[in-house]
Amino acid sequence: MDEVISTIVILISIASSAAGLGYWLAKQFGNIYIKFKEIDVKFKEIDMRFDEIRMQLRGLEKRIDRLERGIFNFNELLLKVLEAKGVIGKVEAMSLMTALHTMIPSSGSKYYTKEVEKRLRELLSMDPEKYTMEDIKELEKIADIMEEEYMVSERKELIDFASKLRIVALVLKIVFVEPKMRKLKEWPLGP
């Protein structure tokens, strides 16, 4: 009988310890649950803040795009006025082409490949009288490629050259391509 009482005492002792441990664990899990809820609320606040930042960045991107378009359109208008006034003509356009040809940056990277460099050299070596709108668009596309490469490689000479290439493409368009299109009655030019 002593063994039974001893066993019962041990079992009661174990049960009370288990109950106390269970109570303590339940309390700890409750605290952990509350902390996770707080963390969840913080993550939701962070997500909302990131969404706000993304919206602000989209707005900034649109404003930069508008500014870029405005500058580009102003450059085009200014060059048209200078061409109409006789300040920029075929000699100046060819001089710009030749100067730009000597500045072509080396290739061999992800976007601005050897093939793109070769095509750029071909385009800048062409007789300017033979330029078409497709050639001008190809020059602009190469400028885009150089800008993409700059974003990856951070080669500043690419972004500098791309901006010069865009200006030369505009000059070639205004001095050589648009007059031919006006004569062919393909005016006004499309996008």
Side-chain angles (χ1 to χ4, degrees), residues 7 9-10 16 23 34 39 42 47 53 55 57 63 92 107 110 123 127 135-137 148 161 167 169 177 179 186:
T7 305
V9 168
I10 291 172
S16 70
Y23 175 75
I34 290 170
I39 290 170
K42 292 288 183 193
D47 282 344
I53 291 170
M55 288 174 50
L57 287 175
R63 289 173 39 200
E92 291 79 15
S107 61
K110 185 175 182 177
L123 285 167
D127 176 357
D135 297 322
I136 300 301
K137 288 177 183 174
E148 285 179 53
F161 188 87
I167 291 171
V177 177
E186 293 179 15

Side-chain angles (χ1 to χ4, degrees), residues 165-182:
L165 181 58
R166 288 187 189 285
I167 291 171
V168 168
L170 263 177
V171 170
L172 293 171
K173 174 183 163 188
I174 292 166
V175 174
F176 293 102
V177 177
E178 287 183 356
K180 286 189 293 191
M181 295 182 84
R182 278 191 290 269

Side-chain angles (χ1 to χ4, degrees), residues 76 79-80 82-84 86-97 128-129 131 136 167-183 187 189:
E76 186 171 6
L79 288 170
K80 284 181 180 188
L82 293 174
E83 190 267 340
V87 175
I88 294 179
K90 292 180 179 186
V91 172
E92 291 79 15
M94 291 176 72
S95 297
L96 284 172
M97 271 179 60
E129 295 288 347
Y131 270 95
I136 300 301
I167 291 171
V168 168
L170 263 177
V171 170
L172 293 171
K173 174 183 163 188
I174 292 166
V175 174
F176 293 102
V177 177
E178 287 183 356
K180 286 189 293 191
M181 295 182 84
R182 278 191 290 269
K183 286 180 186 174
W187 195 260
L189 292 175

Side-chain angles (χ1 to χ4, degrees), residues 9-24:
V9 168
I10 291 172
L11 287 174
I12 290 174
S13 174
I14 291 172
S16 70
S17 292
L21 181 61
Y23 175 75
W24 181 82

Side-chain angles (χ1 to χ4, degrees), residues 59-80:
L60 181 61
E61 184 179 349
K62 286 180 182 178
R63 289 173 39 200
I64 289 172
D65 285 345
R66 283 195 330 245
L67 178 62
E68 183 180 29
R69 282 302 317 146
I71 291 170
F72 185 80
N73 288 335
F74 175 78
N75 285 341
E76 186 171 6
L77 180 62
L78 179 62
L79 288 170
K80 284 181 180 188

